[in-house]
């Protein structure tokens, strides 16, 4: 008789089918070329848009947990969220500091309209938290924490772009931190008394996150003029500007060069 996979292992298996597309998109984003510094600046701007939503998302999920006192999932989930909120607080400021070191005005980033690709990625989590169950957020967190940048990526990008090494501090920090965070999430997922529907919601959330980040990376690779990048508009003028992924830059980097977390 075959033993059932733990929920975390079952989810890893599902994500392994989607992650090659993310790895290809990462390779295209970090492919060496004359515009790599601009692509990195665009990446910092997009990641700031995403990461500044992390704490508010978890705070909203914790509030929803409190509104479901009879649910056996919500108490342990809320306990994890409150701890992780403090671990993640201020990471958006790290990105602003890196952007400044890379030559982008942080105030411009704060004024810029977040692109639709980011709203698609993050906005789905608000919907699932409010209209289904806050446990769906675990899929988002697992996908992000489980695809951290490679430990050597920061130094490689610094060498290729000529930007100051300090402009890659957030990439370097997340390469160190996110492995431990993913292990914590796996343990939580395995001990929560989740229904089949809740397990499905976590998987759908994680797969959506992988797909949306891969699409965002392709857009950044093809057009690094994301709001906040020097010379880019502060808001998208063409409604199709961020939704069109035109034909590709040949990706020469292997799939492990980058990840979803900055």
């Amino acid at each position: 008789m075959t033993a059932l996979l733990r929920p975390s292992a079952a989810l890893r298996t599902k994500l392994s089918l989607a992650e090659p597309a993310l790895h290809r998109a990462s390779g295209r984003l970090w492919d060496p070329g004359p515009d790599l510094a601009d692509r990195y600046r665009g990446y910092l701007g997009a990641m700031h848009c995403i990461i500044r939503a992390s704490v508010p998302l978890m705070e909203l999920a914790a509030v929803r947990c409190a509104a479901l006192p009879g649910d056996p999932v919500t108490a342990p989930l809320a306990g994890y969220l409150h701890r992780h909120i403090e671990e993640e607080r201020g990471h958006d400021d790290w990105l602003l500091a890196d952007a400044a070191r890379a030559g982008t005005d942080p105030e411009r980033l704060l004024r810029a309209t977040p692109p639709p690709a980011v709203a698609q990625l993050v906005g789905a989590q608000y919907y699932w938290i409010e209209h289904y169950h806050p446990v769906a957020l675990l899929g988002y967190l697992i996908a992000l924490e489980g695809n951290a940048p490679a430990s050597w990526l920061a130094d490689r990008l610094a060498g290729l772009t000529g930007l100051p090494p300090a402009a890659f501090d957030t990439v370097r920090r997340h390469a160190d931190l996110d492995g431990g965070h993913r292990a914590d999430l796996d343990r939580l997922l395995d001990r929560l008394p989740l229904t089949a529907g809740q397990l499905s919601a976590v998987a759908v959330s994680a797969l959506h996150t992988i797909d949306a980040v891969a699409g965002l990376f392709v857009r950044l690779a093809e057009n690094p003029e994301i709001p906040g990048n020097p010379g880019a508009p502060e808001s998208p003028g063409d409604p199709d500007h961020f939704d069109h992924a035109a034909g590709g830059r040949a990706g020469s980097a292997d799939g492990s060069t980058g990840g979803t977390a900055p």
Side-chain angles (χ1 to χ4, degrees):
M1 183 175 178
T2 304
L4 291 175
L5 287 175
R6 295 190 308 270
S8 61
L11 181 59
R12 282 181 185 268
T13 300
K14 292 177 181 177
L15 294 182
S16 71
L17 301 176
E19 285 169 342
L22 174 61
H23 297 161
R24 289 192 296 271
S26 298
R28 292 169 71 177
L29 178 59
W30 304 133
D31 191 23
D35 64 341
L36 181 56
D38 282 342
R39 278 181 269 143
Y40 179 65
R41 294 185 186 102
Y43 167 84
L44 288 176
M47 288 301 109
H48 176 261
C49 291
I50 294 167
I51 298 304
R52 70 178 174 185
S54 296
V55 168
L57 275 173
M58 289 188 285
E59 289 175 336
L60 176 62
V63 169
R64 290 284 294 125
C65 285
L68 299 168
D71 188 322
V73 171
T74 56
L77 175 59
Y80 170 81
L81 290 170
H82 286 301
R83 292 190 299 273
H84 197 48
I85 283 167
E86 297 311 314
E87 292 172 342
E88 294 295 316
R89 197 180 298 281
H91 289 202
D92 51 332
D93 292 331
W94 297 357
L95 285 157
L96 289 178
D98 285 357
R101 296 177 189 121
T104 299
D105 179 1
E107 291 301 318
R108 183 180 177 86
L109 281 183
L110 292 170
R111 291 194 306 268
T113 302
V118 170
Q120 176 188 9
L121 167 64
V122 177
Q125 301 304 317
Y126 283 102
Y127 186 92
W128 285 321
I129 290 168
E130 284 280 18
H131 299 292
Y132 180 68
H133 194 285
V135 77
L137 184 62
L138 288 185
Y140 176 81
L141 296 174
I142 286 168
L144 294 181
E145 304 282 10
N147 287 278
S151 59
W152 43 264
L153 180 62
D155 290 340
R156 179 172 186 258
L157 291 177
L160 289 171
T161 63
L163 295 173
F168 302 89
D169 280 356
T170 305
V171 173
R172 197 173 288 110
R173 290 186 188 188
H174 276 271
D176 292 338
L177 292 173
D178 287 354
H181 291 168
R182 173 63 192 264
D184 290 343
L185 284 161
D186 283 349
R187 286 190 290 269
L188 175 64
L189 188 64
D190 289 341
R191 68 185 176 88
L192 289 176
L194 298 176
T195 66
Q198 289 167 342
L199 284 169
S200 177
V202 171
V204 168
S205 173
L207 290 167
H208 169 76
T209 301
I210 295 292
D211 180 67
V213 173
L216 175 62
F217 281 7
V218 169
R219 289 165 173 81
L220 286 166
E222 297 301 332
N223 185 357
E225 290 189 355
I226 295 294
N229 214 19
E234 292 194 7
S235 61
D238 176 358
D240 295 325
H241 181 72
F242 294 102
D243 287 333
H244 178 60
R249 175 192 310 278
S252 61
D254 72 57
S256 62
T257 54
T260 56

